[in-house]
Amino acid sequence: MTAAGEETPVQVEVVEVPESSRYEAREAGRLLGVLTYHRKPGMIVFDHTGVEPEARGRGIGAMLCAAALAGAAEDEVHVVPACSFVRRWVHEHPEYLPLIERA
């Protein structure tokens, strides 16, 4: 509780779960959304982004994209945005365009 008697907001945590080939967004242990992927030599393909209905409108998908693309940059792999949400997000954040694999 804060001094005013309000609850302290819980932070959303985004982590990679390699054994499940996905990034997960969690809040207080509750799964809010996932971004799934599969790896190929030198690249990562982002397949699907999904956010639980009650968590939509909070920027959870954007958090997942930011974490996944930061991970790809760190791993120095090209990105294939098979997921339409990831494609739109990258279009709105052109600093990530150099990571996109051009076929």
Side-chain angles (χ1 to χ4, degrees), residues 38-92:
H38 65 273
R39 292 184 179 269
K40 295 182 178 184
M43 74 175 64
I44 187 167
V45 179
F46 294 125
D47 303 303
H48 174 73
T49 305
V51 176
E52 293 296 324
E54 66 274 7
R56 292 183 183 154
R58 296 180 50 196
I60 304 299
M63 290 179 208
L64 288 162
C65 284
L69 286 158
E74 187 175 303
D75 293 346
E76 298 181 350
V77 294
H78 292 285
V79 170
V80 178
C83 169
S84 61
F85 184 88
V86 175
R87 278 195 304 275
R88 281 191 310 273
W89 194 87
V90 169
H91 179 73
E92 295 169 2

